[in-house]
Amino acid sequence: MKTCKIFLFCILHFTILNAQQLEVINSGGGNHKNSEGSISFSIGEVVIETIAHGELCLTQGFCQANVTVTSVSELPTLEYELNAYPNPAKNYVILKISREKLYGLKYLLYDAHGRLLALKDVISNETQIPLHFLIPSTYFLKIVDNETEIKTFKIIKSN
């Protein structure tokens, strides 16, 4: 009887320890890290269920964190880079453009309701766009080149 109890205890203990290990079976994935953050991803993982409560959402099978999408749209044939940082931002956003000729470039800043808040010519490769006068919210920064929309950023204004 004593041997049976010890055997049962060992099996139960081993089962509990193995149940605590997290293992994902997928076809691929990876990690990427830089000075602004990190991302982990997997490919081929099956979603089991999504549970939502208020603003919280859990999708089983995925590692989730706070994700901010900053580029909403971009002209597919764009031959230079446009970046807007920091995002989220407090007082300003810097628009960085890797193009020598800036003639014809403008930025338009919109609120979440589509109201135009600012319209200015881009005169430098690094243009500081003020946000200090805005309340914390989501804004859209649209870059146009001679009336052609080339890229739109989603900007999060924080306190």
Side-chain angles (χ1 to χ4, degrees):
M1 181 69 169
K2 188 175 182 180
T3 309
C4 185
K5 285 183 181 179
I6 291 173
F7 178 72
L8 186 59
F9 175 76
C10 289
I11 296 268
L12 183 62
H13 187 67
F14 179 74
T15 305
I16 290 172
L17 287 177
N18 278 342
Q20 292 178 357
Q21 293 178 354
L22 297 175
E23 185 175 337
V24 174
I25 299 172
N26 59 13
S27 60
N31 297 309
H32 179 70
K33 183 184 240 183
N34 65 19
S35 62
E36 295 181 17
S38 65
I39 186 169
S40 299
F41 62 94
S42 61
I43 299 170
E45 196 170 337
V46 178
V47 175
I48 298 169
E49 182 179 5
T50 298
I51 303 165
H53 179 73
E55 293 183 18
L56 302 174
C57 177
L58 171 67
T59 303
Q60 296 176 1
F62 288 94
C63 176
Q64 296 181 350
N66 292 333
V67 177
T68 303
V69 176
T70 56
S71 180
V72 177
S73 68
E74 183 173 347
L75 192 64
T77 58
L78 197 59
E79 296 176 355
Y80 52 92
E81 286 189 42
L82 290 126
N83 293 310
Y85 64 91
N87 196 5
K90 289 185 179 187
N91 296 319
Y92 62 88
V93 169
I94 295 175
L95 176 63
K96 187 173 182 179
I97 302 173
S98 66
R99 175 175 136 174
E100 290 181 30
K101 181 186 163 206
L102 300 174
Y103 178 77
L105 286 179
K106 296 180 188 309
Y107 74 82
L108 297 89
L109 184 64
Y110 293 92
D111 67 7
H113 300 290
R115 291 181 289 229
L116 181 63
L117 304 173
L119 168 64
K120 303 264 179 153
D121 290 327
V122 176
I123 57 173
S124 172
N125 292 88
E126 289 191 18
T127 303
Q128 186 171 319
I129 301 168
L131 302 175
H132 61 84
F133 63 95
L134 299 172
I135 62 169
S137 186
T138 301
Y139 297 91
F140 295 93
L141 180 64
K142 187 181 290 190
I143 315 303
V144 295
D145 184 2
N146 293 320
E147 307 303 321
T148 302
E149 182 180 324
I150 54 176
K151 191 165 187 175
T152 302
F153 296 96
K154 177 179 166 185
I155 305 294
I156 308 298
K157 165 70 163 84
S158 63
N159 282 334

